Amino acid sequence: MSTRHILLGLLATGPSHGYDLKRRHDERFPQARPLAYGQVYTTLQRLVRDDLAEVSGTDADNGPERTLYRTTAAGTDELARWAGEIAPPAPYVTNEIFAKVVVSILSGGDPAAYLRAQRTAHMERMRELTAVKTGAHADLATVLSADYALTHLDADLRWMNTTAARLIPLITEVDRA
């Protein structure tokens, strides 16, 4: 996810300061990794440097003075370009789980035990996400984010089941290579 573009999108609703942008990011993207304040302010400085955002004033809001930022015309154009780009399917699929299965075979480990343990971890995360999305205060953004993650975890589980069923031929193949 492009922090730069997400912040531009949040700024599209009007001038904001870094603290507010961080809070709104974390609310709008509840399943994403929360932004660090340093990341927000560094990104804002780069947006200003690249003429995609500008300082529009300060706001004390009954507290310390905060710098307000807003998008520029170039920032609005950049955001529209980015939002309209089709995200290409990954040309190479790197799968840490598969790599660990192969390394386990190569090093004399127990790939079946690893797959079982990984499956358990995936199932636990799926239970957590299901509880989040069915919680009393789950908004649609939370539900959709959880659904996205659940779909990917489910695909991983199906792949693990397929791999476990083909483990003996895989071990033979890896040992021959």
Side-chain angles (χ1 to χ4, degrees):
M1 187 161 49
S2 169
T3 302
R4 165 186 182 104
H5 292 101
I6 297 300
L7 291 182
L8 278 174
L10 292 171
L11 283 171
T13 63
S16 297
H17 51 76
Y19 177 81
D20 186 47
L21 291 168
K22 186 243 185 299
R23 182 187 53 77
R24 288 178 27 221
H25 168 275
D26 295 350
E27 288 172 358
R28 298 252 185 238
F29 305 100
Q31 298 302 316
R33 181 177 307 165
L35 290 179
Y37 287 106
Q39 183 180 14
V40 171
Y41 289 106
T42 299
T43 303
L44 285 169
Q45 289 169 355
R46 289 181 183 143
L47 289 170
V48 169
R49 177 198 68 200
D50 297 341
D51 194 36
L52 301 175
E54 62 189 6
V55 173
S56 69
T58 58
D59 177 20
D61 197 28
N62 297 328
E65 190 171 273
R66 296 184 176 131
T67 302
L68 290 168
Y69 298 87
R70 68 176 171 221
T71 58
T72 61
T76 300
D77 292 345
E78 170 63 16
L79 182 60
R81 183 201 59 74
W82 176 79
E85 277 181 354
I86 301 302
Y92 303 102
V93 179
T94 57
N95 182 333
E96 183 176 356
I97 299 168
F98 178 66
K100 288 182 177 186
V101 168
V102 171
V103 167
S104 180
I105 294 168
L106 291 170
S107 64
D110 186 349
Y114 169 74
L115 285 169
R116 284 191 301 275
Q118 188 64 57
R119 185 178 192 290
T120 299
H122 269 56
M123 294 298 293
E124 177 58 31
R125 182 62 181 141
M126 290 177 85
R127 282 189 286 280
E128 291 168 3
L129 288 166
T130 300
V132 165
K133 80 177 230 173
T134 59
H137 301 293
D139 59 10
L140 185 56
T142 299
V143 170
L144 292 173
S145 293
D147 282 342
Y148 183 85
L150 284 163
T151 300
H152 284 268
L153 289 167
D154 182 60
D156 283 351
L157 283 174
R158 285 184 279 124
W159 178 87
M160 283 185 252
N161 289 337
T162 299
T163 301
R166 297 175 177 166
L167 202 50
I168 292 173
L170 179 62
I171 292 170
T172 303
E173 187 176 299
V174 169
D175 284 342
R176 269 189 288 158

